[in-house]
Amino acid sequence: MTNYEKGEARAWAREHLTGVSGVTIPSFTADLAGLNTKGIAHDIEHLIGLGFDYTLVMSELAITPEENAEFTAIARETAGDRLGLFFHAAWGTLAENIQAVKLAEQAGADAVLLSYPPQFWPTQESQVYDYTRSFCEATDLAVMLFPIPTWGFERIHPAGMSVELVRRMIDTIPNVAAIKAEQGYPLPVGPIEAYHHFKDDVVISCPIESHCIPLMDVLDIRFSGTSNTQWMSDYFPKAFRLAREGRWTEAMELYWQINPARGANDSVASSYLSSTGAINRTIWKYQDWLAGFNGGPLRAPAMRIPDRHMRTLRAGLVAAGLPVTDLPDSEFMVGRHPA
């Protein structure tokens, strides 16, 4: 899908960054020595079948830049032009992220979700700006900024990234093309404030599904992602499109229908996220498996998923009337396409 020059990144995003984006976690071989091509291809096809427009090629786990490029290439070969791909800048140093994004560009990535390394510990906004600019200057892809409390930038400003900092980035870094607005999470203030200040400059993503559909009655939200929503099967693409078409009441009917699954997800996430500040990707992989995705093992130091969380998440899908496998949980670590 990428067919723009760096100076056209913002215009490209305004034209093409629409709809919803899921997240694709890589599948590995049983011995964890390499990628599981069939498992990845299965997940990409399933995501497309559910109606998603983009996916994040998720890299926040034990994967090398070279393997991530292979992961991206498998996704691109499978999807063709049916699905956009976000590169995930989630490695431990600026240099490694730059190395990885250059490889991903060649492999078929369309845009970037910019994360910040766990050991990046700025105490001034200028340091956040310098890191962001250095990364953006190294890639020709459109970059989506990602203000979120996870980074710990609240030591600098209560919003993590102040309006003034984001404005400076937009005004001086031409391939900043979107904002995944989660500042102030779990409150919905992030997308509301970003929309107020920057909607005429860049695409504003409201990535939190539980915020997005209600806010679409009052904000002209055109994109949501990248988000862990594919475990709810086709609910979110369907509800998002209904809201975009002005059928917000119908979208809210679906919103409330799946609320038991949302509640189960929130219950499990709240049990660890606030204390660790890290997402349990094994839980996300299990949620996907419940909904028909490949599943399979992840490399250490992946977190574990307790049986009680499995029971909660499965029961939430059942109560919401959403698709859920009848396979026993023992099959999760095997995967649907073991290699």
Side-chain angles (χ1 to χ4, degrees):
M1 293 177 67
T2 307
N3 56 0
Y4 59 88
E5 301 295 328
K6 184 169 186 171
E8 302 168 332
R10 207 167 285 180
W12 173 88
R14 285 208 163 274
E15 181 178 354
H16 294 284
L17 203 54
T18 60
V20 296
S21 174
V23 174
T24 301
I25 300 174
S27 290
F28 295 97
T29 55
D31 61 5
L32 298 176
L35 297 177
N36 179 345
T37 299
K38 289 184 178 179
I40 292 169
H42 169 86
D43 285 353
I44 294 297
E45 284 289 358
H46 192 36
L47 197 72
I48 293 169
L50 294 174
F52 283 82
D53 304 283
Y54 286 81
T55 194
L56 176 71
V57 180
M58 208 279 289
S59 65
E60 198 174 46
L61 36 65
I63 188 171
T64 68
E66 292 78 11
E67 287 175 321
N68 184 72
E70 181 185 353
F71 179 20
T72 303
I74 295 167
R76 173 54 66 217
E77 182 178 356
T78 304
D81 61 1
R82 297 176 296 161
L83 188 74
L85 303 178
F86 272 91
F87 167 78
H88 192 192
W91 278 267
T93 67
L94 174 60
E96 199 169 18
N97 279 298
I98 290 174
Q99 175 195 2
V101 74
K102 289 182 179 297
L103 292 171
E105 283 184 30
Q106 298 170 8
D110 296 295
V112 174
L113 176 66
L114 181 58
S115 297
Y116 296 87
Q119 307 311 317
F120 177 58
W121 198 264
T123 56
Q124 301 175 29
E125 284 194 338
S126 60
Q127 293 169 297
V128 179
Y129 174 85
D130 289 344
Y131 183 101
T132 303
R133 180 161 189 162
S134 295
F135 177 86
C136 291
E137 287 179 342
T139 180
D140 291 335
L141 295 178
V143 175
M144 183 158 67
L145 298 179
F146 188 12
I148 187 175
T150 300
W151 316 135
F153 297 167
E154 288 74 21
R155 76 177 69 93
I156 304 171
H157 187 280
M161 290 186 184
S162 68
V163 168
E164 291 76 19
L165 174 60
V166 175
R167 169 50 64 194
R168 183 185 178 199
M169 290 175 176
I170 291 172
D171 287 348
T172 60
I173 308 174
N175 55 330
V176 166
I179 303 172
K180 181 181 179 182
E182 289 190 48
Q183 58 270 45
Y185 181 82
L187 300 174
V189 62
I192 295 171
E193 184 174 50
Y195 186 90
H196 176 84
H197 289 285
F198 309 119
K199 68 180 185 299
D200 295 329
D201 301 289
V202 296
V203 174
I204 307 301
S205 170
C206 181
I208 304 302
E209 165 272 327
S210 60
H211 296 164
C212 183
I213 299 300
L215 285 175
M216 289 177 79
D217 187 46
V218 291
L219 302 181
D220 183 21
I221 297 170
R222 50 172 288 162
F223 180 72
S224 180
T226 58
S227 308
N228 176 39
T229 52
Q230 63 281 343
W231 61 274
M232 294 182 284
S233 293
D234 66 351
Y235 147 70
F236 192 45
K238 187 183 299 183
F240 188 90
R241 290 187 178 96
L242 285 171
R244 285 291 297 169
E245 293 167 2
R247 300 161 66 184
W248 182 79
T249 301
E250 293 175 61
M252 286 302 297
E253 289 174 1
L254 295 178
Y255 178 96
W256 289 117
Q257 176 187 320
I258 65 92
N259 200 52
R262 184 184 297 116
N265 176 71
D266 291 348
S267 173
V268 168
S270 66
S271 71
Y272 72 88
L273 189 55
S274 61
S275 59
T276 66
I279 294 172
N280 186 328
R281 303 297 185 181
T282 306
I283 287 178
W284 281 26
K285 192 75 166 170
Y286 172 75
Q287 289 179 286
D288 286 354
W289 174 79
L290 285 175
F293 291 89
N294 182 59
L298 297 176
R299 290 171 175 164
M303 298 180 186
R304 292 174 172 82
I305 175 169
D307 288 353
R308 67 182 184 279
H309 288 346
M310 289 180 169
R311 290 192 292 269
T312 296
L313 293 168
R314 184 185 286 266
L317 289 170
V318 171
L322 289 168
V324 57
T325 184
D326 57 3
L327 291 172
D329 287 338
S330 58
E331 292 295 309
F332 162 55
M333 283 296 176
V334 178
R336 286 185 164 83
H337 296 276

